Amino acid sequence: MDRFIKSMKAFPFKGMLVIWGIFMLMGAVLFAERSGIHYEGSKSQSAYLSENQIVTEKEAVKELKKTCLVIMDSQQESSQLAWEQFERIFQDMKVGTDVADLKTDTLPNLDSYETVVVLMSDLEPLKEGIIEISNWVKSGGSAMFAMAPQKDTYASLIEQKLGIISSGYENSFVDSIYFDSDFLIGGGKSYAITDGFDSARQVELSEKAQVYAWAKEPGGIPLIWENTYGDGKFVVDNLGLYEKAVRGFYAASYSLLTDIGVYPVINGSTFYLDDFPSPVPSGDGTYVKRDYGTSIQEFYSNIWWPDMLNLASKYGLKYTGVMIENYEDKTDGEITKQTDNERFQYFGNMVLHQGGELGYHGYNHQPLCLGDTDYGDVLPYKTWKNEKAMESAMSELMRFGKKMFPGTQMSVYVPPSNVLSEQGRKMLAQKFPQIKTIASNYFAGECAYTQEFEVADDGMIEQPRIVSGASWDAYSKLTVFSELNMHYVTTHFLHPDDVMDEDRGAKLGWSKLYKDFQNEIESLYKVVPNIRRLTGSEMAGAVQRYAILTINQNRTDTGLELELGNFHNQAYVMIRLNEGEPGKVKGGKLEHLTGNLYLLEATSAKVSIEV
């Protein structure tokens, strides 16, 4: 405590209430530890559904009515790339789809569908189907061209109906995209596109076309727009980007097609602290010494952790810390038990008292991979001698966690460096049923265990982390923005030893990293102030409910009725009212997000909304 008091004299005043709160929390934890008292978390895992409530995601969606026809051509590489993303988008939005692959299929009767989505830039395989789609829209249908058509004879048959009055043969370079503030959560600003390319058609639109996104700034090349045609509507995406980081933009575009667009979302933000608690990292403390003139151990106790508590207090964060017992690299199954317990209990109990949660990271920092995994020159890790060695290591980690934090239920596992082999994943599910969720990586990477927000066939809940670090780059900011509109979720992880790794910004110094991190969090919650702050297990429970939720909607004379399948105590639904405004709600409540976009918190399986 003396070190903490001295260090606070040396640093800027951060608000007496926050500092006093940190003193009180530290004092309470120190008193509890010195009195032999341990923090005991809830013995129940109320965040999770009970066994008799669980159905698989596949079972939940198999009865979905096929309301959308997707037209694609697997002979076109870009069409295949687009479908890879849209298949997942529709699965997550719970949109029942039929697919017509024009390589082998003919166009079915469009009258059987509410919406049509065309995933082709070369429209030649459609032939007279272009006219058929146009006539169907004119009679009241809704079609989305998610890829801007190439400039050719077939495109000329439909361009004016799409709202295009003139177009060029060349594409234009897109390195940023500006969204209308009423269209998307977080809109009203420009987002940089990493590795931009000539992806957008040069087009001029008619005055009646409604534009929602432009390249660079309003008035630039239109990237997303809608155009009424007869009694129906066309929506066009002129982005040319087909990857995870922009799924939310396509989901929002699809929600424009019908009078009322609805799809389930998660509603949650979660912040992970990897390698926390852990032994004192043995990395390079050059920049800690440079900026603070102190040891690594003192830095974490007196500066880094009080700063993290300050953020938690100011923004209502609930950290999920995931433990590393030691940093040795033995993988032969021989166990060395951690004996330096005071640091673990101190920081771990602080996380728990703060309202957070603890989970598992590793006995050591060696991923659960056997000898058939080749790390190459990418990662400095060893593989485990056999599955028994891996199992022994996990058993020791759980023994240690139970000893340090008796009565605290831990159910979250985070793979070291987001690396987890198929054998390791299988072992966790079969041998360690107390692990109910894995939090790894949203994006593919070298040896990364990549995830979607879903419940796996074996019941394991997958909850990927979207962004990491204190200073978010342009790609991260774009993804965070997109995912707020796709799943209404944000997940993040930070390593305490970021301040010792130049690749993660150590040279900038913790003061700059802390300021950047605070700015990112403040920007996030300015856009979504009421998004739920969740721990890892709470996020897993939210994903579990979201993944199996289905929605049947019926229009009535007075508005909208929703029937929610597999509803358990609460659910969240994104609603876009393209026609009308909401009135009285029964079975839930609406929160206005932006423009005509609302978040429904359903408290009943049947919800009615006056429109």
Side-chain angles (χ1 to χ4, degrees):
M1 289 296 291
D2 290 341
R3 291 198 305 268
F4 177 72
I5 294 170
K6 290 177 182 177
S7 68
M8 293 312 299
K9 290 179 179 178
F11 293 95
F13 182 73
K14 296 185 177 181
M16 286 301 297
L17 289 177
V18 173
I19 299 304
W20 177 249
I22 293 172
F23 268 114
M24 293 294 288
L25 183 57
M26 286 181 166
V29 173
L30 288 171
F31 173 79
E33 287 176 355
R34 289 168 182 171
S35 303
I37 302 171
H38 296 279
Y39 180 88
E40 292 209 8
S42 170
K43 288 182 169 60
S44 66
Q45 288 290 309
S46 58
Y48 299 104
L49 296 177
S50 60
E51 291 294 330
N52 63 352
Q53 293 175 310
I54 296 174
V55 299
T56 68
E57 192 169 349
K58 288 181 180 178
E59 290 173 335
V61 302
K62 67 182 180 182
E63 300 300 327
L64 281 177
K65 182 182 177 183
K66 303 297 181 68
T67 58
C68 174
L69 174 66
V70 176
I71 304 171
M72 53 92 66
D73 178 11
S74 58
Q75 294 183 105
Q76 300 180 38
E77 184 180 359
S78 59
S79 181
Q80 286 183 302
L81 288 173
W83 172 238
E84 286 176 11
Q85 297 305 323
F86 270 86
E87 184 176 21
R88 189 72 210 192
I89 290 169
F90 288 140
Q91 179 178 326
D92 287 2
M93 293 179 76
K94 302 300 191 297
V95 175
T97 59
D98 281 331
V99 180
D101 182 352
L102 297 186
K103 178 182 178 182
T104 54
D105 304 329
T106 57
L107 207 60
N109 184 354
L110 303 183
D111 292 335
S112 303
Y113 302 96
E114 294 178 6
T115 58
V116 168
V117 174
V118 181
L119 297 180
M120 299 164 56
S121 56
D122 179 2
L123 300 182
E124 190 276 334
L126 265 174
K127 297 183 169 49
E128 63 274 8
I130 296 174
I131 305 301
E132 189 176 341
I133 293 171
S134 300
N135 292 337
W136 178 75
V137 170
K138 189 175 183 179
S139 299
S142 297
M144 175 175 166
F145 281 73
M147 306 177 71
Q150 294 176 3
K151 180 78 170 178
D152 57 26
T153 303
Y154 292 93
S156 67
L157 296 175
I158 201 171
E159 274 196 344
Q160 289 191 349
K161 302 174 179 66
L162 298 179
I164 300 172
I165 58 177
S166 69
S167 62
Y169 284 90
E170 300 296 326
N171 282 6
S172 289
F173 187 83
V174 178
D175 59 3
S176 67
I177 180 170
Y178 183 99
F179 292 93
D180 185 278
S181 59
D182 288 339
F183 177 50
L184 290 181
I185 305 162
K189 59 185 291 188
S190 181
Y191 291 85
I193 302 292
T194 305
D195 300 325
F197 63 101
D198 296 336
S199 60
R201 279 282 308 281
Q202 297 176 3
V203 295
E204 182 183 351
L205 304 181
S206 71
E207 292 183 358
K208 69 174 186 176
Q210 175 69 49
V211 184
Y212 296 102
W214 303 261
K216 293 187 183 297
E217 58 188 4
I221 295 172
L223 298 182
I224 300 174
W225 71 86
E226 70 173 49
N227 190 62
T228 334
Y229 178 60
D231 294 330
K233 178 193 294 185
F234 284 108
V235 171
V236 182
D237 287 312
N238 187 26
L239 299 177
L241 303 174
Y242 309 103
E243 53 186 90
K244 268 189 174 184
V246 295
R247 285 179 181 172
F249 311 152
Y250 291 111
S253 298
Y254 183 80
S255 72
L256 293 169
L257 288 175
T258 52
D259 290 347
I260 301 176
V262 300
Y263 59 97
V265 291
I266 297 168
N267 183 16
S269 64
T270 299
F271 287 83
Y272 278 91
L273 301 178
D274 286 9
D275 297 13
F276 192 81
S278 68
V280 178
S282 58
D284 183 2
T286 298
Y287 301 109
V288 170
K289 192 75 174 177
R290 178 196 69 185
D291 296 337
Y292 300 100
T294 188
S295 69
I296 293 172
Q297 182 170 345
E298 290 173 332
F299 166 77
Y300 283 130
S301 299
N302 302 345
I303 299 163
W304 183 85
W305 184 232
D307 280 345
M308 295 301 290
L309 286 175
N310 180 28
L311 289 179
S313 174
K314 186 172 183 179
Y315 299 103
L317 310 182
K318 296 195 291 185
Y319 296 126
T320 297
V322 288
M323 291 188 302
I324 288 286
E325 185 173 346
N326 64 64
Y327 283 112
E328 68 174 23
D329 59 3
K330 291 176 65 175
T331 54
D332 57 6
E334 228 179 279
I335 299 301
T336 304
K337 295 181 180 180
Q338 176 64 254
T339 56
D340 184 11
N341 298 339
E342 184 178 344
R343 175 182 173 83
F344 283 87
Q345 291 176 330
Y346 173 72
F347 285 114
N349 285 329
M350 289 279 278
V351 171
L352 296 171
H353 277 283
Q354 177 262 336
E357 182 176 81
L358 296 176
Y360 302 109
H361 199 31
Y363 157 71
N364 53 23
H365 209 275
Q366 304 299 313
L368 298 178
C369 297
L370 298 177
D372 56 354
T373 298
D374 183 9
Y375 294 126
D377 297 325
V378 178
L379 296 172
Y381 294 133
K382 292 182 177 181
T383 56
W384 292 86
K385 180 179 179 181
N386 49 42
E387 187 171 323
K388 185 178 179 181
M390 288 197 304
E391 188 176 339
S392 296
M394 281 303 302
S395 295
E396 165 57 21
L397 177 63
M398 291 184 174
R399 181 208 64 79
F400 180 68
K402 187 175 182 179
K403 177 184 177 182
M404 292 297 97
F405 311 102
T408 300
Q409 299 295 313
M410 292 186 246
S411 59
V412 181
Y413 175 74
V414 172
S417 294
N418 295 312
V419 176
L420 178 64
S421 69
E422 185 178 343
Q423 300 97 321
R425 166 69 172 74
K426 185 177 180 180
M427 181 196 73
L428 291 176
Q430 292 182 347
K431 302 292 181 65
F432 300 98
Q434 57 269 61
I435 293 177
K436 299 182 183 298
T437 180
I438 298 173
S440 187
N441 214 34
Y442 194 44
F443 295 104
E446 298 287 357
C447 304
Y449 179 69
T450 308
Q451 298 175 293
E452 300 283 353
F453 290 99
E454 63 185 351
V455 180
D457 290 343
D458 61 3
M460 187 71 77
I461 303 166
E462 310 279 3
Q463 53 154 318
R465 281 99 61 84
I466 297 167
V467 63
S468 66
S471 295
W472 300 353
D473 60 17
Y475 191 81
S476 296
K477 291 177 180 179
L478 181 77
T479 305
V480 169
F481 168 52
S482 171
E483 280 300 307
L484 288 176
N485 291 279
M486 180 72 238
H487 295 110
Y488 200 62
V489 73
T490 184
T491 49
H492 171 273
F493 66 96
L494 183 76
H495 289 85
D497 65 356
D498 285 350
V499 292
M500 296 188 294
D501 187 331
E502 285 198 13
D503 291 339
R504 287 179 265 156
K507 197 171 184 178
L508 296 173
W510 172 241
S511 179
K512 176 66 167 61
L513 292 176
Y514 174 71
K515 183 178 180 181
D516 288 350
F517 193 34
Q518 182 170 4
N519 289 340
E520 303 299 0
I521 295 173
E522 188 159 323
S523 296
L524 171 69
Y525 289 134
K526 185 177 181 181
V527 171
V528 286
N530 299 320
I531 196 170
R532 294 185 296 171
R533 279 69 159 170
L534 305 177
T535 63
S537 67
E538 289 169 342
M539 176 62 75
V543 171
Q544 195 176 33
R545 287 162 174 79
Y546 148 83
I548 62 176
L549 189 73
T550 58
I551 305 173
N552 287 320
Q553 58 173 309
N554 299 299
R555 292 301 305 272
T556 66
D557 293 339
T558 58
L560 176 69
E561 291 182 349
L562 300 178
E563 293 183 9
L564 306 181
N566 303 308
F567 172 83
H568 297 288
N569 69 284
Q570 68 180 175
Y572 293 89
V573 180
M574 196 75 81
I575 298 181
R576 186 181 296 277
L577 294 176
N578 295 308
E579 298 290 339
E581 295 183 358
K584 187 181 295 184
V585 180
K586 292 182 180 179
K589 60 182 180 180
L590 281 180
E591 176 190 348
H592 179 242
L593 298 176
T594 188
N596 59 4
L597 199 60
Y598 298 83
L599 178 69
L600 168 68
E601 178 185 353
T603 54
S604 169
K606 291 187 177 181
V607 180
S608 63
I609 303 171
E610 290 183 359
V611 180

